[in-house]
């Protein structure tokens, strides 16, 4: 029997867990903020520290992020189980899965505008068509039925990825809670709950992320083009994402408490 989730209870527990984990994860939170600054410094236009720097910086962000997640999950679950290698394995498996699905979605969305532009007769697309001509034609096409098709396709592609994220929401929390690397074995646990998890995620994921992006966008001209500006841009951007990270981890743990098969069998 499908268990009914209470959205207000999920959201309330998620933020309560986020507050619980904030203090134990403070040091790693600061490390993650610094790592974010290092990454934007490494990929910045003024960076001259070598071609390998962005990849190394991205690896640093990943390693610090895994350690941050492990500490956060342990604090929320009040456990010492789980280990960083299993959590890294689970995360990498998810990245590969999203890359695989995202490649198909992205390829379709890349070729669809050209098909629609040709069908609408607005411009002939070839390899030599200037980008500004294509962009102007796309903008002109958006209010038409062809534009509606493009918008619906983009929404559908985003919905597919969002649905996958919801169905795989429990992976990190379950890996730490059980001490096993769990990836697609948690898929069945969220069956029938995607809609309610998605509504809860509006408060724990989407709203904090959107606010962070908007604030960071508003600050884009503050930092300047210097190396220090590039570092501050990434560091502040990562700091703004902390509520999103804690709330997201909190929702995963709150949902795990309700959907883990062993928990369900004891209720």
């Amino acid at each position: 029997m499908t268990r009914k989730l209470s959205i207000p209870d999920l959201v309330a527990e998620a933020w309560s867990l986020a507050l619980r984990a904030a203090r134990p994860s403070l040091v790693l939170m600061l490390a993650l903020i610094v790592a974010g600054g290092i990454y934007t410094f490494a990929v910045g236009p003024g960076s001259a520290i070598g071609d390998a720097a962005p990849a190394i910086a991205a690896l640093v962000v990943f390693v610090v992020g895994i350690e941050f997640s492990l500490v956060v999950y342990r604090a929320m679950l009040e456990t010492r189980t789980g280990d960083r290698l299993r959590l890294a394995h689970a995360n990498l498996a998810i990245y590969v899965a999203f890359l695989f699905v995202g490649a198909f979605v992205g390829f379709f969305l890349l070729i669809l505008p050209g098909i629609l532009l040709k069908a609408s007769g607005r411009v002939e697309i070839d390899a030599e068509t200037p980008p500004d001509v294509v962009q102007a034609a796309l903008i002109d096409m958006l209010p038409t039925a062809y534009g509606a098709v493009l918008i619906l396709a983009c929404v559908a592609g985003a919905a597919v990825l969002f649905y996958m994220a919801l169905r795989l929401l429990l992976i990190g929390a379950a890996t730490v809670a059980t001490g096993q690397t769990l990836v697609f074995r948690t898929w069945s646990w969220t069956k029938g709950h995607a809609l309610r998890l998605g509504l809860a995620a509006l408060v724990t994921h989407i709203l904090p992320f959107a606010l962070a992006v908007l604030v960071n966008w508003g600050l884009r001209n503050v930092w300047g083009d210097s190396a220090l500006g590039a570092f501050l841009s990434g560091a502040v951007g990562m700091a703004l994402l902390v509520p999103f990270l804690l709330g997201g981890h909190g929702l995963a743990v709150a949902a795990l408490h309700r959907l883990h098969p062993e928990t369900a069998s004891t209720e």
Side-chain angles (χ1 to χ4, degrees):
M1 182 176 68
T2 301
R3 307 175 68 205
K4 188 174 181 179
L5 299 179
S6 168
I7 298 170
D9 287 350
L10 276 174
V11 172
E13 184 176 348
W15 287 117
S16 176
L17 290 168
L19 290 174
R20 178 196 295 176
R23 185 173 180 179
S25 64
L26 182 59
V27 172
L28 282 164
M29 193 185 300
L30 295 174
L32 191 59
I33 290 170
V34 172
I38 292 173
Y39 177 77
T40 53
F41 169 75
V43 301
S47 177
I49 55 176
D51 295 336
I56 295 173
L59 180 60
V60 170
V61 172
F62 175 76
V63 171
V64 176
I66 290 296
E67 196 68 26
F68 172 79
S69 287
L70 180 62
V71 170
V72 167
Y73 279 135
R74 282 177 171 176
M76 290 179 174
L77 292 163
E78 297 182 311
T79 183
R80 299 304 300 170
T81 59
D83 64 78
R84 53 194 55 83
L85 288 180
R86 291 183 184 276
L87 189 56
H89 178 194
N91 276 269
L92 286 173
I94 294 305
Y95 296 159
V96 171
F98 272 89
L99 181 63
F100 181 77
V101 175
F104 283 97
V105 173
F107 177 74
F108 175 72
L109 293 179
L110 281 174
I111 64 172
L112 183 60
I115 295 173
L116 292 174
L117 282 173
K118 285 186 177 181
S120 67
R122 277 172 167 75
V123 65
E124 288 294 329
I125 303 294
D126 56 40
E128 298 179 357
T129 304
D132 55 336
V133 173
V134 176
Q135 184 177 3
L138 280 173
I139 294 174
D140 182 58
M141 185 185 71
L142 285 179
T144 70
Y146 296 99
V149 172
L150 179 60
I151 293 171
L152 287 174
C154 291
V155 171
V160 168
L161 297 177
F162 187 52
Y163 178 77
M164 277 189 61
L166 291 172
R167 292 298 306 274
L168 297 173
L169 176 69
L170 306 183
I171 288 173
T175 295
V176 174
T178 63
Q180 304 176 47
T181 304
L182 299 180
V183 184
F184 291 103
R185 277 183 284 176
T186 65
W187 181 272
S188 62
W189 301 359
T190 55
K191 183 180 179 180
H193 301 291
L195 178 58
R196 289 183 175 274
L197 290 174
L199 292 174
L202 291 175
V203 182
T204 60
H205 288 68
I206 296 176
L207 182 59
F209 182 81
L211 287 174
V213 171
L214 287 174
V215 172
N216 204 30
W217 176 257
L219 296 172
R220 66 189 184 282
N221 295 322
V222 172
W223 314 119
D225 298 326
S226 66
L228 178 60
F231 174 84
L232 290 175
S233 175
V236 172
M238 186 64 76
L240 291 170
L241 286 174
V242 167
F244 158 76
L245 295 173
L246 290 175
H249 284 65
L251 180 60
V253 173
L256 181 68
H257 286 159
R258 293 160 174 79
L259 300 178
H260 192 290
E262 293 182 6
T263 303
S265 65
T266 61
E267 293 184 355

